[in-house]
Amino acid sequence: MLHSFIPPARFFPYLTWQDIAKMPNKQNVVIIQPIGAIEQHGLHLPIIVDSAISVAVLGKALSKLDVDIPAYALPNIYYGKSNEHWHFPGTITLTSQTLISLLMEVGESIYRAGFRKLVFMNSHGGQPQILELVARDLHIKYNDFCIFPLFTWRVPNIAKELLTPKELELGIHAGDAETSLMLAILPEQVKMTDAVTEYPQNLPTDSVLSMEGKLHFAWATKDLSQSGVIGDPTTATKEKGDRIWESLANGWVQTIKDIYKFQQPKTTN
């Protein structure tokens, strides 16, 4: 069905316009926009990985959420800014400008409907900065609009407890964590016999610069990997994936609860 992993009662498009018009406490209803990407994920994973993770994690979280907390999922945005991967066939990318325009107009539509809390739930590592820009611009334009540009993997979860130190530092794409999670979410789409380990070579040493740190440099995936993998997927297991999925969902339950209670800080006169 169209709602996929999302519980039907939490799927915003299944509401009628009258349901929305009559919804009580609309200023505190949490509207969640999952965002992924369609981009290469090595030889063993399908190009839907980021989008699948967004919908699966959000769906499990909403199924656990207290029914008294009003929260609804919008349809996933499948395309993102993925031009770092476009040297690999199958990657579909939007420009930064297109994604900014899309998210701004989605946000304005949600605001116009009377809602005042919108979450951008992003699972693609190539676009957090875009969401942050849009969130700031929407809040500046509508001062009573609370926007949360969040990364799926940054809620409290146990993934770090299950990964090696090297994987934690360098396994940023199609590695152990994503592969394990996909073995739990869409196991029939994972080709573990094709999984290869590939870490970046010739990274800066004795330098304050790094691939993904406070002082990082721009890169395309082809600079770092021939296979499209940046990490070690060969150690992935469904058991790890089930634990990661559960813990991410629990982290999102707490995050949605906190957003429901959130009040925008204001200075006092």
Side-chain angles (χ1 to χ4, degrees), residues 7 29 39 45 64 96 159 171 180 187 189 219 226 250:
V29 172
E39 62 182 32
L45 291 179
K64 290 170 167 279
S96 299
S180 291
Q189 305 303 330
W219 50 264
Q226 293 182 340
N250 290 337

Side-chain angles (χ1 to χ4, degrees), residues 2-6 11-13 32-38 47-59 72-80 94 99 102-103 106 119-124 127 152:
L2 295 176
H3 56 274
S4 183
F5 290 93
I6 307 297
F11 193 49
F12 190 84
I32 305 160
Q33 174 63 78
I35 307 164
I38 299 296
I47 59 178
I48 201 173
V49 168
D50 293 342
S51 291
I53 288 173
S54 277
V55 176
V57 170
L58 179 56
Y72 296 90
L74 296 171
N76 184 64
I77 296 176
Y78 283 89
Y79 302 136
L94 306 179
L99 186 55
L102 174 60
L103 295 175
V106 168
V119 181
F120 291 135
M121 178 187 178
N122 169 49
S123 295
H124 168 41
Q127 58 199 17
T152 300

Side-chain angles (χ1 to χ4, degrees), residues 19-31 67-72 110 113-118 144 256-257 259-263:
D19 293 333
I20 295 168
K22 296 177 180 179
M23 195 175 291
N25 192 27
K26 207 180 293 185
Q27 71 275 12
N28 287 313
V29 172
V30 182
I31 305 296
V67 294
D68 294 331
I69 296 178
Y72 296 90
I110 293 301
F115 300 102
R116 297 295 180 264
K117 291 182 177 178
L118 174 62
D144 59 341
I256 294 168
K257 287 180 179 179
I259 290 170
Y260 174 66
K261 296 183 295 184
F262 179 82
Q263 296 298 313

Side-chain angles (χ1 to χ4, degrees), residues 117 139 143-148 262-267:
K117 291 182 177 178
H139 179 65
N143 188 55
D144 59 341
F145 204 6
C146 301
I147 314 291
F148 306 87
F262 179 82
Q263 296 298 313
Q264 188 73 41
K266 295 181 180 179
T267 58

Side-chain angles (χ1 to χ4, degrees), residues 93-108:
T93 185
L94 306 179
T95 64
S96 299
Q97 294 83 356
T98 297
L99 186 55
I100 287 170
S101 295
L102 174 60
L103 295 175
M104 285 292 295
E105 292 176 23
V106 168
E108 289 174 342

Side-chain angles (χ1 to χ4, degrees), residues 101-200:
S101 295
L102 174 60
L103 295 175
M104 285 292 295
E105 292 176 23
V106 168
E108 289 174 342
S109 296
I110 293 301
Y111 185 88
R112 190 162 53 247
F115 300 102
R116 297 295 180 264
K117 291 182 177 178
L118 174 62
V119 181
F120 291 135
M121 178 187 178
N122 169 49
S123 295
H124 168 41
Q127 58 199 17
Q129 301 85 352
I130 289 177
L131 275 65
E132 291 168 5
L133 291 170
V134 171
R136 180 65 56 82
D137 284 352
L138 280 170
H139 179 65
I140 296 300
K141 188 171 185 178
Y142 306 104
N143 188 55
D144 59 341
F145 204 6
C146 301
I147 314 291
F148 306 87
L150 308 181
F151 192 57
T152 300
W153 292 87
R154 287 187 182 157
V155 299
N157 70 88
I158 65 168
K160 291 183 178 180
E161 300 172 19
L162 304 177
L163 305 178
T164 66
K166 185 174 184 179
E167 190 71 2
L168 283 171
E169 180 185 0
L170 299 174
I172 65 169
H173 192 73
D176 191 349
E178 284 190 322
T179 302
S180 291
L181 190 48
M182 287 296 289
L183 283 169
I185 295 170
L186 289 175
E188 66 278 9
Q189 305 303 330
V190 180
K191 302 175 182 178
M192 285 303 292
T193 55
D194 293 333
V196 297
T197 301
E198 189 171 358
Y199 289 110

